[in-house]
Amino acid sequence: MVEPLNIALAGLGTVGTGVVRLIETNAELIARRARRPIRIAAVSARDRTKDRGVDLSRYDWEDDPAALAARADVDVVVEMVGGSDGPALALARNAIGQGKGLVTANKAMIAHHGLELASAAEKAGVALKFEAAVAGGIPVIKGLSEGAAANAIERVYGILNGTCNYILSTMEDTGRDFGDVLAEAQRMGYAEADPTFDVEGIDAGHKLSILAAIAFGSRLRFDAVETTGISRVKAADIEQARSLGYVIRLLGMGEIDRAGGSARLFQRVHPHLVPIDHPLAHVDGATNAVVAEGNFMGRLLFQGAGAGDGPTASAVVADIIDIARGEKGAAFSMPAHELEAMEPAETGHRRGRSYIRFTVPDRPGVLADITAAMRDAGVSIASMIQKGEGAQSGEVILAIVTHEGPESAVTEALRILDGSDSLAARPLVMQIIEG
């Protein structure tokens, strides 16, 4: 009889209990595909008495998650505690140090410590897998590291945070403003009580740094990801974008910048205007989508549920099945010591079109001040739309779309205007993705 693969689960929240439920429900199918049974040997969580909707009485319980890694009857530790450091990182290090495989859905930990953990796993001869850390149930890590392995990936980008996508697409459908839709998302469970990691782009930045390392063979550089969230996007921006033939989406974008002859890593999370005929324009709700462009395969689109107990648990169990089959491989598609250390790319020379939203006092001379700053900075204006905020406010929205040019010119125009009494609020700049 083939010996089962024994696993231990740390963290029994939505995803952890989803993993238990999936393994129990599809046990026979999973055993056939893994070529051996998958057996849960032990579990650990903060509260032993909590009703999680699954029967945990058949599994050993460890109050201390670190004890899971020391158990002789455990082959693989599944970490779903969360957090970039603390108990999650201690458990990950301990599991690998004890010669156990590690499966995790923890994007923050991988973004901050993935290189260390990958190096340790390779030295220990054990697997480190984290498909569920990026885009939930979408097999984008496997797609890039295996399906696209023969290609030089030129660019990877996409919608990496379901909370932000839900908020933006709901604003688009209803005309409501950010704060109102965020409150609804929190009531519905799409957004955390403290939504900062989601709405300010940090969560998407974690995922982008992981994708970039796999796509480009570069060392993880989360510290080099430029992040701008969606909290300053107004309903008026959504309306203006629609009138121009675009929708607004928070995109994470990574590519290799070879300007100046040396390879530098460009990573940015930023709200963009996306043409209505682009595939990402039709990704609504809490869905995630990733586009990868390779030199021989062309453009690939990965799309699906980016969160939730079922999709994320599916990705976790798929990693467990890979380990049961004996598939270890390099965590980032090549050995950790071969990942290239790349400096962050300078962004000022990048060329493109920009949408700039100004909130300005409703008085003469304002438009002349703004256009003069644009002229002096070398920004060419393609179109301009003005919309009143309301008779009571005494302010209007002025939206400018630029012709293609260097991003440094837009930055310079805003520097010239900084502190001007022609501005009632800080401008918002969004890049425009071409079709």
Side-chain angles (χ1 to χ4, degrees):
M1 179 179 291
V2 179
E3 288 294 318
L5 182 80
N6 294 317
I7 69 170
L9 275 69
L12 292 168
T14 300
V15 178
T17 53
V19 169
V20 174
R21 190 175 296 111
L22 175 55
I23 288 175
E24 291 180 345
T25 302
N26 289 353
E28 184 180 343
L29 175 65
I30 289 170
R32 293 206 312 269
R33 289 180 174 165
R35 299 193 286 274
R36 59 195 294 197
I38 306 295
R39 172 180 169 268
I40 299 173
V43 297
S44 178
R46 289 178 185 168
D47 184 357
R48 188 187 288 232
T49 63
K50 181 179 177 180
D51 181 7
R52 295 174 171 86
V54 292
D55 180 11
L56 300 172
S57 62
R58 71 192 79 179
Y59 310 125
D60 288 353
W61 184 284
E62 298 284 358
D63 290 319
D64 180 4
L68 297 175
R71 290 179 62 109
D73 62 344
V74 168
D75 304 305
V76 175
V77 172
V78 181
E79 182 278 314
M80 287 169 290
V81 175
S84 60
D85 298 287
L89 180 59
L91 176 61
R93 287 170 171 165
N94 196 20
I96 293 171
Q98 295 277 350
K100 318 290 187 186
L102 178 69
V103 175
T104 180
N106 190 336
K107 64 263 186 183
M109 182 178 71
I110 296 299
H112 286 278
H113 303 287
L115 187 61
E116 171 207 331
L117 296 175
S119 298
E122 288 167 19
K123 288 176 184 175
V126 299
L128 167 64
K129 292 187 175 291
F130 43 83
E131 182 69 66
V134 179
I138 308 171
V140 63
I141 290 177
K142 187 180 286 287
L144 289 177
S145 59
E146 297 181 15
N151 280 253
I153 305 297
E154 297 165 346
R155 184 163 66 152
V156 60
Y157 62 101
I159 296 166
L160 302 175
N161 184 272
T163 299
C164 288
N165 207 56
Y166 172 83
I167 292 171
L168 289 173
S169 57
T170 301
M171 289 172 67
E172 184 183 306
D173 292 340
T174 65
R176 292 151 57 199
D177 235 322
F178 171 82
D180 183 27
V181 178
L182 171 61
E184 177 184 87
Q186 290 171 315
R187 288 193 300 272
M188 297 177 65
Y190 286 131
E192 301 287 344
D194 179 0
T196 304
F197 262 49
D198 290 320
V199 302
E200 298 304 336
I202 300 168
D203 174 82
H206 286 144
K207 297 169 184 174
L208 175 63
S209 66
I210 296 168
L211 286 178
I214 294 168
F216 309 128
S218 59
R219 289 185 172 228
L220 281 157
R221 286 296 307 269
F222 170 69
D223 63 314
V225 181
E226 299 179 18
T227 55
T228 302
I230 65 168
S231 58
R232 296 182 59 233
V233 176
K234 295 176 175 284
D237 296 314
I238 303 280
E239 183 181 340
Q240 307 287 37
R242 180 187 288 117
S243 70
L244 295 166
Y246 297 91
V247 298
I248 297 175
R249 295 289 183 265
L250 183 74
L251 302 184
M253 181 172 294
E255 62 185 351
I256 300 300
D257 188 332
R258 302 193 184 278
S262 62
R264 291 176 175 267
L265 181 60
F266 171 74
Q267 301 178 99
R268 180 159 64 190
V269 174
H270 193 77
H272 287 71
L273 269 67
V274 179
I276 196 65
D277 59 352
H278 192 286
L280 294 182
H282 304 283
V283 179
D284 296 324
T287 305
N288 282 191
V290 177
V291 177
E293 297 174 356
N295 63 338
F296 274 73
M297 69 187 184
R299 176 189 285 175
L300 293 180
L301 173 65
F302 302 87
Q303 180 176 337
D309 58 340
T312 308
S314 177
V316 169
V317 176
D319 279 346
I320 297 169
I321 290 172
D322 276 352
I323 296 174
R325 292 168 173 167
E327 299 172 12
K328 295 177 183 176
F332 292 95
S333 78
M334 62 179 66
H337 70 274
E338 293 184 12
L339 296 172
E340 186 177 354
M342 296 184 185
E343 290 299 314
E346 299 292 335
T347 59
H349 67 273
R350 295 180 66 83
R351 297 183 63 84
R353 297 194 301 142
S354 300
Y355 167 97
I356 313 169
R357 183 251 289 153
F358 298 95
T359 305
V360 301
D362 188 8
R363 61 171 176 77
V366 167
L367 182 57
D369 288 346
I370 291 174
T371 54
M374 295 287 169
R375 178 201 63 212
D376 293 346
V379 177
S380 176
I381 298 173
S383 62
M384 185 181 302
I385 305 172
Q386 182 172 313
K387 180 178 176 61
E389 279 273 61
Q392 305 262 330
S393 70
E395 297 174 354
V396 296
I397 294 286
L398 180 66
I400 288 176
V401 175
T402 72
H403 284 294
E404 182 178 322
E407 291 185 13
S408 58
V410 172
T411 301
E412 174 61 12
L414 297 186
R415 187 197 66 76
I416 294 170
L417 288 165
D418 188 34
S420 169
D421 61 5
S422 290
L423 299 184
R426 182 161 56 98
L428 174 67
V429 179
M430 293 185 278
Q431 304 303 317
I432 298 175
I433 291 287
E434 304 300 341

